[in-house]
DNA sequence: GTGCACAAACTTTTT
DNA sequence: GTTTGTGCAC
């Protein structure tokens, strides 16, 4: 499909630009001067630097409406990209609301991925694919990589599929095809990685499949190598809008530059202070460089905040000030008063959870001298998901309703993926990855050997696995119980495949038939584990979700990209989520627990990315604080159990960066309380004591000072690793967390053989050993 | 070929 | 503390 008339026709511009231009435009009056400037400057490059809570979505949607109202573009000539489906949905809804009619005619408002799928299906042949290519999920991707590694005869301990997937993703994020991976990356060690990457791409093409990264990568490659195609789209997309520009990776950046390169009508919205996805390839540099990339760019700053109290804004501003290389923004507000940001330290993580639980209880009743809060107005934002556990445990025991946002997504659950694999096979029998997934689920007595036979047969005849299985059965290569079951499966698949065409049968009925007759439903009915009922429930929900689609194919098409599931139960609940998941959300009251060095900022982040990592952590702190509208409570604990092992920690360095004037310290009894004997009446003393004057705090200050000189600190893990390998000598006394004391017998690379006093002789990884003198406590 | 037991590795963050 | 992978017995 290459004619744009066709495109025009089938995308159907249901909104008539001209008809709308006649109507008044109240949407502009709603905007403040900065927003208005960003909206009205339609032509040429515009960078909208929108701080947290400054109404950027409003401005962005107003801009789209303005483009339509002024007749500058028809709905289908606007390319508007977001990162999440949720953001896309929201924008669609808001455009519709502003226009006073549904915005169905905006086919190119969507996520990077969704839009690329659409484009790639049209030009699949240019990437060596057929237009009905499948999109692999992470699971399929890993299985494929594992096979490749094993087939290449490489030690899969040295090349775990997960790691390889990470490396390949990294390259794809930077728009690097195997032949373009720079020598620096491909050096001695990664030589094999590039090799495997190339093989992986070949294999994907054979399977007529792409992974997530490919969606962008293929389109960039096509645009770069097919000038005519690029030019078509450059003409077609007259205006380009990008949300969350600070989160774009190199591939997305190149894609945008290619598309907007000719007319340069590109408007990027973002906030360099909220760039928190560097670890998955996002480049803050993209937004920092915007004016260089698009000379003559108009930069608008949205700085008036409509969300938070002055205290909260002051706290956030003061923290983020510690970062270098910002474009610079200062949030301000008309609002006055409000509570100061509250800071509290606890003895340990459990106490922290207990305190927050009690606090929430009190807030509900309005017994904190403030207005009362509903549970759904309260959120707990954590750095790492394992922190959620303490809160879940606590809230369960006190019966406080909560909801975890994020977690494993609906479509990532095992049973859903299994069911989807069945559907995929019914629709396209050549889907080998789907076949591999379900041949032996439920158990059919087809183990490694039988599966290998199928693989070999299929490869020998150059056919799909299903076909290979059929041939292998014919030739009597698979016998017995397994053979019978396989015969049944192959027959069933063919039968179900024919039922797809059956007009009398809805695709929902078909889905149920497939799940029942394959024995998959029974498999979970017979399962006695506690999660089995939930899984059956999920399967029911999956079938229900089919209702919204014309047929199975249509469903499968969409599902691979729609990974979010908003559980929409109406009950008021406290939200628990990670800081990352909280971006873009806001809550009247926010708790930010776990502000301890090592946890937040995360040690790993600093180890891996040094100062850059620390700055990203700081932005995360900024994002966290700015989620709060009225009340923000930061807390830290002196002790925390990590891996079931107690560790103590210093309060986060970010706590030092909070402005004293805007912080109220709620003195806890205990370590940070007043440094001494808990005397009677500590409750009242606690009310006036001040962490800033406590010995614990001063100690902390002193430590911070020393550390400040050598920031960022040397990687703790690396040091231990290297010392561990280098320093152990045969005969040395060592300590292992689980096995206790022992003596080194032999050293082999990173593995050390130790004769433990009580646990016998074991070979363990050096990292889990410490020299006897180093033993903590 | 399946199921159990034990040991290792693991914990950021995810479109 | 939990999951995942491996080795062993049935």
């Amino acid at each position: 499909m290459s004619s744009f008339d066709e495109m025009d026709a089938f995308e159907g511009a249901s909104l008539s630009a001209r008809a709308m231009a006649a109507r008044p435009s109240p949407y502009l009056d709603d905007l403040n001067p900065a927003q208005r400037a960003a909206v009205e400057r339609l032509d040429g490059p515009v960078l909208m630097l929108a701080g947290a809570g400054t109404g950027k979505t409003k401005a962005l949607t107003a801009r789209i409406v303005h483009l339509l109202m002024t007749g500058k573009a028809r709905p289908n000539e606007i390319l508007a990209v977001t990162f999440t489906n949720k953001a896309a949905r929201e924008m669609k809804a808001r455009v519709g609301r502003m226009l006073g009619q549904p915005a169905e005619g905006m086919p190119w408002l969507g996520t990077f991925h969704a839009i690329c799928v659409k484009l790639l299906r049209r030009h699949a042949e240019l990437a060596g694919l057929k237009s009905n290519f499948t999109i692999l999920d992470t699971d399929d991707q890993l299985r494929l990589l594992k096979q490749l590694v094993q087939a290449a005869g490489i030690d899969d301990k040295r090349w775990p599929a997960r790691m390889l997937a990470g490396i390949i993703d990294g390259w794809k994020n930077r728009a690097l095809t195997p032949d373009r991976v720079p020598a620096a990356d491909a050096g001695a060690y990664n030589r094999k990685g590039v090799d495997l990457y190339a093989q992986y791409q070949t294999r994907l093409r054979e399977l007529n499949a792409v992974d997530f990264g490919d969606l962008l990568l293929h389109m960039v490659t096509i645009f770069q190598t097919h000038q005519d195609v690029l030019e078509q789209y450059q003409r077609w997309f007259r205006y380009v809008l990008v949300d969350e520009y600070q989160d774009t990776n190199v591939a997305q950046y190149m894609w945008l530059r290619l598309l907007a390169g000719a007319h340069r009508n590109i408007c990027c919205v973002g906030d360099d202070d909220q760039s928190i996805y560097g670890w998955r390839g996002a480049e803050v540099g993209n937004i920092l460089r915007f004016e260089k990339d698009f000379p003559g760019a108009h930069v608008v700053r949205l700085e008036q905040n409509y969300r938070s109290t002055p205290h909260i804004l002051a706290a956030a501003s003061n923290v983020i000030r510690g970062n270098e290389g910002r474009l610079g923004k200062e949030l301000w507000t008309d609002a006055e008063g409000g509570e100061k940001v509250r800071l509290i330290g606890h003895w340990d993580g459990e106490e922290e959870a207990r305190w927050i639980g009690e606090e929430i209880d009190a807030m509900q009743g309005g017994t904190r001298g403030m207005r009362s809060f509903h549970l759904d107005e309260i959120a707990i934002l954590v750095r790492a998901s394992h922190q959620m556990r303490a809160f879940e445990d606590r809230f369960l025991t006190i019966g406080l309703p909560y909801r975890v946002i994020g977690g494993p997504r609906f479509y990532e659950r095992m049973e859903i993926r299994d069911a989807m694999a069945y559907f995929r096979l019914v629709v396209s029998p050549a889907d080998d990855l789907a076949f591999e997934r379900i041949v032996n689920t439920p158990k059919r007595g087809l183990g490694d050997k039988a599966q290998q036979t199928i693989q070999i047969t299929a490869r020998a005849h150059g056919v799909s696995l299903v076909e290979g299985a059929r041939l292998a059965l014919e030739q009597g290569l698979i016998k017995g119980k397994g053979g019978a079951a396989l015969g049944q499966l192959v027959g069933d698949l063919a039968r179900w495949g024919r039922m797809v065409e059956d007009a009398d049968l809805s695709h929902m009925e078909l889905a149920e038939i497939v799940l029942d007759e394959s024995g998959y439903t029974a498999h979970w009915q017979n399962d006695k584990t506690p999660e089995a009922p939930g899984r059956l429930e999920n399967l029911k929900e999956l079938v229900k979700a089919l209702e919204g689609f014309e047929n199975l194919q249509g469903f499968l098409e969409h599902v691979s990209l729609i990974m979010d599931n908003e559980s929409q139960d109406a009950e008021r609940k406290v939200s628990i989520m990670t800081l990352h998941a909280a971006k873009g959300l806001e809550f009247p009251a926010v708790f930010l627990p776990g502000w301890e060095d090592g946890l937040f900022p995360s040690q790993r982040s600093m180890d891996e990315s040094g100062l850059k990592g620390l700055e990203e952590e700081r932005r995360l702190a900024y994002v966290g604080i700015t989620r709060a509208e009225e009340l923000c409570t930061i807390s830290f604990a002196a002790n925390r159990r990590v891996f079931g092992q107690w560790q103590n920690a210093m309060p986060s360095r970010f706590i030092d960066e909070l402005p004293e004037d805007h912080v109220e310290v709620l003195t806890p009894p205990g370590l940070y309380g007043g440094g001494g004997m808990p005397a009677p009446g500590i409750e009242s003393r606690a009310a006036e004591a001040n962490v800033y004057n406590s010995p614990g705090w001063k100690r902390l200050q002193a430590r911070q000072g020393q550390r400040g000189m050598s920031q960022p600190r040397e990687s703790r893990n690396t040091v231990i690793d290297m010392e561990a390998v280098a320093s152990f000598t045969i005969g040395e006394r060592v300590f292992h967390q689980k096995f206790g004391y022992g003596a080194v017998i032999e050293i082999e690379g990173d593995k050390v053989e130790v004769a433990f006093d009580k646990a016998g002789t074991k070979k363990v990884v050096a990292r889990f050993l410490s020299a006897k003198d180093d033993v903590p406590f």
Side-chain angles (χ1 to χ4, degrees):
Chain A
M1 179 160 336
S2 57
S3 155
F4 280 88
D5 294 333
E6 269 173 73
M7 221 164 104
D8 195 5
F10 103 81
E11 300 295 356
S14 71
L15 302 167
S16 157
R18 216 161 295 143
M20 290 179 309
R23 283 200 316 220
S25 45
Y27 60 93
L28 284 178
D29 304 334
D30 252 12
L31 304 172
N32 67 34
Q35 290 170 334
R36 195 161 170 152
V39 168
E40 291 188 321
R41 174 72 69 117
L42 292 179
D43 292 297
V46 174
L47 176 62
M48 200 194 297
L49 282 175
T54 55
K56 91 178 168 174
T57 311
K58 186 178 181 182
L60 201 49
T61 41
R63 195 179 158 92
I64 292 175
V65 171
H66 199 50
L67 280 169
L68 298 173
M69 291 293 215
T70 53
K72 284 262 187 189
R74 288 176 292 174
N76 53 347
E77 291 170 334
I78 298 173
L79 174 66
V81 260
T82 64
F83 273 86
T84 64
N85 293 298
K86 199 175 146 207
R89 266 200 310 273
E90 200 176 303
M91 205 177 302
K92 244 180 203 172
R94 284 179 80 155
V95 169
R97 234 178 297 144
M98 249 184 230
L99 283 171
Q101 59 175 296
E104 283 313 314
M106 292 219 36
W108 302 106
L109 191 169
T111 64
F112 276 102
H113 298 278
I115 289 171
C116 280
V117 172
K118 230 164 158 177
L119 293 173
L120 192 55
R121 292 223 187 268
R122 292 182 175 184
H123 303 285
E125 76 288 350
L126 299 181
L129 296 162
K130 285 183 279 177
S131 78
N132 62 347
F133 60 80
T134 50
I135 302 165
L136 301 191
D137 57 35
T138 328
D139 233 39
D140 292 329
Q141 195 186 352
L142 287 178
R143 243 169 333 124
L144 201 55
L145 284 169
K146 202 166 180 181
Q147 285 173 15
L148 284 174
V149 170
Q150 279 168 352
I154 297 165
D155 181 11
D156 53 2
K157 290 263 162 44
R158 209 169 148 67
W159 283 98
R162 270 195 63 86
M163 178 178 110
L164 187 56
I167 295 172
I168 291 177
D169 264 359
W171 282 329
K172 288 188 175 179
N173 284 339
R174 286 154 58 197
L176 297 171
T177 48
D179 53 305
R180 279 194 281 186
V181 173
D185 277 40
Y189 183 71
N190 265 357
R191 195 61 183 280
K192 268 200 176 107
V194 179
D195 219 44
L196 287 164
Y197 177 23
Q199 287 179 37
Y200 172 64
Q201 292 304 93
T202 308
R203 189 83 188 95
L204 284 177
R205 214 163 291 132
E206 285 166 8
L207 289 162
N208 191 34
V210 299
D211 64 22
F212 260 78
D214 278 339
L215 293 172
L216 260 300
L217 180 61
H218 282 321
M219 281 322 297
V220 168
T221 313
I222 289 173
F223 286 155
Q224 284 173 336
T225 51
H226 295 80
Q227 191 65 25
D228 53 326
V229 177
L230 175 62
E231 281 172 9
Q232 282 176 351
Y233 288 104
Q234 284 179 337
R235 275 195 301 275
W236 189 255
F237 298 132
R238 303 178 58 177
Y239 291 87
V240 179
L241 292 92
V242 190
D243 192 17
E244 307 280 18
Y245 189 61
Q246 78 282 353
D247 288 339
T248 49
N249 61 34
V250 173
Q252 287 156 339
Y253 164 77
M254 289 171 70
W255 187 85
L256 288 168
R257 276 207 80 169
L258 286 161
L259 281 171
H263 51 59
R264 306 199 324 141
N265 291 327
I266 181 167
C267 172
C268 293
V269 185
D271 181 356
D272 49 322
D273 293 334
Q274 290 188 66
S275 164
I276 54 174
Y277 285 109
W279 49 274
R280 64 169 194 216
E283 282 283 335
V284 216
N286 289 347
I287 193 165
L288 299 178
R289 254 194 352 259
F290 188 84
E291 291 180 82
K292 282 207 192 86
D293 287 339
F294 295 95
H298 192 67
V299 180
V300 182
R301 286 182 165 74
L302 305 191
E303 297 178 291
Q304 182 175 5
N305 176 288
Y306 297 99
R307 179 185 294 160
S308 312
T309 65
H311 289 307
I312 291 168
L313 290 185
S317 296
N318 223 54
V319 170
I320 198 66
R321 197 167 294 149
N323 272 7
E324 285 168 19
R326 299 170 58 217
L327 289 170
K329 264 184 288 78
E330 188 85 12
L331 295 180
W332 60 275
T333 176
D334 279 343
E336 285 169 18
E339 299 288 325
K340 287 185 175 180
V341 170
R342 306 186 305 165
L343 176 65
I344 181 166
H346 300 281
W347 172 249
D348 64 21
E350 267 125 68
E351 193 194 296
E352 182 180 50
R354 195 179 327 125
W355 184 81
I356 290 180
E358 283 164 13
E359 196 64 13
I360 290 174
D361 256 343
M363 285 162 64
Q364 277 194 88
T367 46
R368 274 288 174 274
M370 310 167 206
R371 74 166 179 99
S372 64
F373 290 83
H374 289 303
L375 291 182
D376 58 350
E377 294 179 309
I378 302 170
I380 298 169
L381 311 183
V382 297
R383 171 68 248 260
S385 51
H386 67 249
Q387 289 173 261
M388 295 181 179
R389 188 199 190 81
F391 294 99
E392 292 196 62
D393 284 353
R394 184 65 198 159
F395 293 174
L396 281 173
T397 59
I398 63 173
L400 186 70
Y402 69 90
R403 171 186 356 250
V404 171
I405 311 234
R409 267 163 264 277
F410 186 69
Y411 291 107
E412 278 171 7
R413 291 175 199 178
M414 191 204 320
E415 66 277 15
I416 300 301
R417 290 183 146 164
D418 288 341
M420 301 270 296
Y422 273 103
F423 300 161
R424 275 158 63 185
L425 268 180
V426 170
V427 172
S428 45
D431 193 331
D432 286 355
L433 288 163
F435 183 79
E436 277 171 36
R437 184 173 182 105
I438 54 88
V439 237
N440 206 25
T441 317
K443 296 267 179 291
R444 294 191 174 87
L446 297 161
D448 285 348
K449 224 184 107 212
Q451 293 190 34
Q452 238 174 330
T453 310
I454 297 173
Q455 291 272 5
I456 292 166
T457 315
R459 207 161 304 160
H461 292 81
V463 294
S464 71
L465 289 181
V466 179
E467 190 57 18
R470 208 182 51 77
L471 289 171
L473 284 169
E474 251 176 36
Q475 296 167 17
L477 296 172
I478 301 169
K479 301 194 197 78
K481 229 171 76 186
L486 182 60
Q488 174 82 31
L489 175 67
V490 172
D492 282 345
L493 283 171
R495 195 162 47 82
W496 297 326
R498 287 192 295 274
M499 289 161 81
V500 173
E501 307 298 330
D502 189 340
D504 293 335
L505 195 70
S506 81
H507 58 287
M508 292 168 67
E509 286 169 308
L510 175 58
E512 269 176 24
I513 289 174
V514 171
L515 293 180
D516 286 346
E517 292 187 358
S518 63
Y520 192 69
T521 317
H523 168 234
W524 286 116
Q525 280 162 347
N526 298 334
D527 189 306
K528 282 177 211 63
T529 55
E531 56 264 25
R535 297 197 194 271
L536 284 166
E537 201 50 46
N538 287 336
L539 288 173
K540 262 192 219 155
E541 240 180 89
L542 177 70
V543 174
K544 218 164 65 192
L546 288 168
E547 206 169 359
F549 293 85
E550 290 252 318
N551 50 40
L552 270 185
Q553 282 101 322
F555 178 71
L556 293 172
E557 288 266 303
H558 281 256
V559 131
S560 46
L561 291 173
I562 302 168
M563 292 302 253
D564 50 4
N565 66 312
E566 300 262 306
S567 61
Q568 59 256 351
D569 64 290
E571 203 191 332
R572 293 186 192 278
K573 292 174 175 173
V574 174
S575 300
I576 305 175
M577 69 187 93
T578 63
L579 286 163
H580 284 87
K583 198 172 89 167
L585 304 178
E586 55 189 354
F587 298 89
V590 167
F591 287 92
L592 301 170
W595 280 42
E596 295 127 42
D597 251 35
L599 181 58
F600 186 44
S602 132
Q603 191 60 49
R604 184 156 171 178
S605 220
M606 294 187 290
D607 287 349
E608 283 171 8
S609 319
L611 186 63
K612 254 183 113 178
L614 176 63
E615 296 213 332
E616 183 153 315
E617 296 287 309
R618 189 174 280 119
R619 291 192 290 266
L620 217 35
Y622 174 79
V623 167
I625 297 169
T626 52
R627 296 311 95 194
E629 294 169 357
E630 299 169 43
L631 187 62
C632 177
T633 310
I634 295 169
S635 58
F636 54 93
N639 300 285
R640 201 173 282 280
R641 213 164 36 189
V642 188
F643 309 147
Q645 175 182 230
W646 285 98
Q647 296 199 328
N648 60 334
M650 299 301 286
S652 170
R653 61 191 74 185
F654 298 148
I655 286 178
D656 295 346
E657 300 171 4
L658 295 170
E660 220 172 310
D661 293 347
H662 299 277
V663 174
E664 177 192 2
V665 179
L666 309 176
T667 308
L671 182 66
Y672 297 100
M677 297 288 295
I682 192 150
E683 291 293 333
S684 60
R685 263 204 313 144
E688 63 204 46
N690 186 332
V691 164
Y692 288 109
N693 291 324
S694 74
W697 183 266
K698 292 201 169 131
R699 208 161 46 235
L700 162 68
Q701 296 290 331
R703 287 276 279 275
Q704 296 281 5
Q706 288 165 16
R707 195 163 43 201
M709 290 178 235
S710 58
Q711 258 179 26
R713 278 180 297 176
E714 192 87 52
S715 145
R716 203 198 291 165
N717 288 341
T718 330
V719 171
I720 288 179
D721 270 0
M722 288 167 52
E723 277 176 0
V725 175
S727 69
F728 289 130
T729 49
I730 293 185
E732 191 182 353
R733 295 288 293 170
V734 291
F735 178 79
H736 185 277
Q737 186 60 35
K738 199 159 184 176
F739 303 129
Y741 293 95
V744 174
I745 305 181
E746 187 149 22
I747 302 170
E748 280 175 46
D750 59 342
K751 294 260 196 333
V752 180
E753 194 164 10
V754 181
F756 290 100
D757 300 350
K758 289 183 182 136
T761 301
K762 311 250 181 213
K763 216 182 250 180
V764 294
V765 177
R767 188 150 57 85
F768 292 97
L769 287 174
S770 46
K772 190 183 167 229
D773 296 337
D774 288 346
V775 179
F777 41 78

